Amino acid sequence: MFIASGIGPFSGQAVHFQYAAPEGSDYAINRYRREIERHYQVLDTHLVGREYVVGDSFTIADISSWGWLDRISRVFKDIENPFENYPNLQRLFNKLDQQSYRPV
């Protein structure tokens, strides 16, 4: 639920306000960027000592995570290495992205 009710909506709003909203949406851009930074940090910390989002098994939570992690450079517009502060998310993304069951 954290991904569906936090990561997804806040990432989507960040993308919207950074790319599609009219000029002058600085407040909204800042708000959603700060929220996604916080949400991504929570998930990154959660992954310490875990291979996948829910322990040692690949689940729908990983598939949901992969969808946003695959688009992290859009979510964090103008950041050269958006995974820099999220090493566990980078690890998870690399693992999922290289699997034979890679989501499409």
Side-chain angles (χ1 to χ4, degrees):
M1 289 306 298
F2 177 74
I3 296 161
S5 65
I7 297 281
F10 285 105
S11 294
Q13 290 297 318
V15 169
H16 170 76
F17 283 106
Q18 292 175 103
Y19 293 94
E23 292 288 322
S25 300
D26 295 343
Y27 172 82
I29 290 169
N30 184 56
R31 171 168 169 39
Y32 289 107
R33 283 287 295 261
R34 299 296 80 80
E35 281 299 308
I36 60 168
E37 288 169 1
R38 186 175 68 80
H39 279 78
Y40 279 55
Q41 187 60 61
V42 167
L43 186 55
D44 189 77
T45 300
H46 173 77
L47 286 167
V48 172
R50 291 180 173 87
E51 188 170 354
Y52 295 101
V53 174
V54 185
D56 296 326
S57 300
F58 176 75
T59 68
I60 190 71
D62 301 295
I63 295 169
S64 297
S65 299
W66 182 90
W68 284 109
L69 296 177
D70 185 53
R71 290 153 186 84
I72 196 169
S73 63
R74 282 199 56 82
V75 174
F76 289 100
K77 183 180 180 183
D78 298 329
I79 302 294
E80 187 173 327
N81 178 7
F83 281 113
E84 182 176 12
N85 295 321
Y86 312 104
N88 296 301
L89 294 180
Q90 174 77 73
R91 177 185 48 77
L92 177 67
F93 175 73
N94 291 343
K95 181 175 186 60
L96 298 176
D97 206 46
Q98 295 171 6
Q99 299 297 320
S100 60
Y101 50 73
R102 180 177 181 242
V104 290

